[in-house]
Amino acid sequence: MALVSAKDMIDKAHAGHYAIPAFNTNNLEWTKAILLGIEAQKSPAIIQVSEGATKYMGGYKAVADLVNDLYNSLGITVPVALHLDHGTFEGAKKCLEAGFTSVMFDGSHFDFEENKEKSKEIIELAHSKGASVECEVGGIGGTEDGVTSSGELANPAECKEISDLGVDFLAAGIGNIHGPYPENWAGLNFERLDEIDKAVNGKPLVLHGGSGIPFDQVHKAVTLGVSKVNINTELQLEFTAAVRKYFEAKKDLEGKGYDPRKVLKPGVDAIQAKVEELCKAFGSANQA
Amino acid sequence: MNNDNEYEDIEFIDLDDDVNTSNPAPMAGDVNELSQLNEDPSDSLEVSNEEPISEVFSEEPSTLETPEDLPDLENAKDTSHHSSGSSSTKKHGKKHLSKAERRRRRRRKKLIRFCVFVAALILFLVSGGILLHAFIGYQKADKIYNDVSKSIFGDETAMVSVKGTGTNSSNSTTTSESEEVKLYTSYDHTALLAQNSDAVGYLQIPAIDVLLPVVQGDDNSYYLNHAFNGASSSNGTLFVDYRQPDGVESQNCIIYGHDMRNGSMFGALNKFVDSNFVSTGQNRYFYFYVNDKIYKYEIYAVHQTPAIGYTYTASFNTANEFLTYVSEMSRQSYYSSNVKFTGTEKTMTFSTCTNDDDIRLVVQGVRVAELDIATIAKEQGE
């Protein structure tokens, strides 16, 4: 088996009204924990990296090889796509060369015409290599790899134009909770999501920043066309809390507690547990 | 909820971006404007003996040394020569090109140094101004809150020392409760309400020296930047989530406060991240004054959490929902507490910012006792 494009799994999820979880990875431990978690839950899933994380991990090729090799050596049977999260134009091209099976081109900070033009080029290139593509319209809010956009909502007409380029799934701004304390505690603007869903005529949508969004809201978003939910921060918090406890309990001072494999284990176990919980919550468990 | 990505790239991308975009962009702009504003070079001669200072800052504006900038600077200098009557330059018949060239270079250097100096000076003044503004803001807020506390509690002499008390509830864990906590028996709830009808009570967290009034507004934004007396203030006021009509009696009363750099408001809450700090002495207890009661709470969870989500659950339909919630909070907690829940408890959640926009630090406590102020005062009197 090999890594696959994300298109089929997301189309299936869209038809079956569940969401594919897209977990951001940072290193070998993260990748292993995610793969073992989704295999245990028999869930199709996307493993994604930001460009910052690819730098950390040593480059696009290093990431592609790591995920590919682990997929095979761990005997994973569920479909897995390797996706670039919030890619630049150049980054997306390099990932496609390095063997990523899916890329996001985030041109939301360009003016719309430029975003459209560049999105079109990446879509053509990716499809020629059998890879899937995600594009973004409008600011989702917050800082994405150094690019800050206000939490504005995406314009449904623009969503339709990008959708019509043949993009496989679309990220569109439907949340505006940015700021010290969210004004809109619902977090997501379901009316706008509904408008976008109608405008793009059934194109699968992506919910960014899925960490912490209550499950009932995720479910509601799924009924309105969301088929991919991104999870990053939540896994990081789980990992760090678990490792912190290890040190606070002074386990590093017991026996061979200083062994990095022992230090990281509670964190890795916590990631896997969270991955499994999310697969169940998003309905992707047992869909592989 | 916005996006998850920013967090992970701090070391690799954000640093670069910060340096290249957020700070120096305005800086570079300033410098360019300055070089235009200061085309009168007679100034430059006056300031030219500031060498050491400009040396210090000379690493910064590479923009000034770009080839495009130099001709402009030179032109500016030449025209000035005519206007300033060239008194400073001694004509010495024919001079070697090299000498003229050297002089020109020297001037150019001086001019560049001058511009750098002015830019640095402005940067210094602006940042000094910002710091001063923040400092004055802190002072103002400190004064406001000191005054409120004084008017509600009177002098410090009204404080009584209470040994680790369990009284009504038996939830508190067994420890050496020998350390004393100072509680105020002079609390005047009516006076508090008279000052601000949004007030709900007074929060005392002895471990981090918090003694602050708490309000509940019509939304979750007004008190972010308004002090207790209504004055505009970046310290804001501690406030209960507006979604909770039962306020302090909600099963999970959520109180927000700013993470101020000087440690005021909820700025010292991060001390509880260290479990050893929580378990030291009576640090895990805090107190809430309402009417003629002091509610005593024990911390049961401390953790970081996404800015929206389960942690901010405002109400529960059943005891089971509540138990699921507190057990999940305990699971995420850095600190392991011995508190046992039955489902009918009342809890309080303090929430404050972290350096990450998407992440909050929360400290959560459960009510373990309801102390009667009059009774405490009487016991003390005996």
Side-chain angles (χ1 to χ4, degrees), chain A residues 50 86 145 178 180 209 211 248, chain B residues 2 4-5 8-9 275 333 360:
Chain A
S50 68
H86 287 290
D145 270 7
H178 207 58
S211 294
E248 284 206 339
Chain B
N2 20 56
D4 303 71
N5 292 317
E8 69 196 353
D9 299 311
S275 298
S333 174
R360 303 289 178 266

Side-chain angles (χ1 to χ4, degrees), chain A residues 49 64 115 184 197 209 235 244 262 280 286:
Chain A
V49 280
N115 183 7
N184 169 13
D197 183 46
L235 297 186
R244 166 183 278 279
K262 292 205 163 105
K280 287 186 221 162
N286 297 315

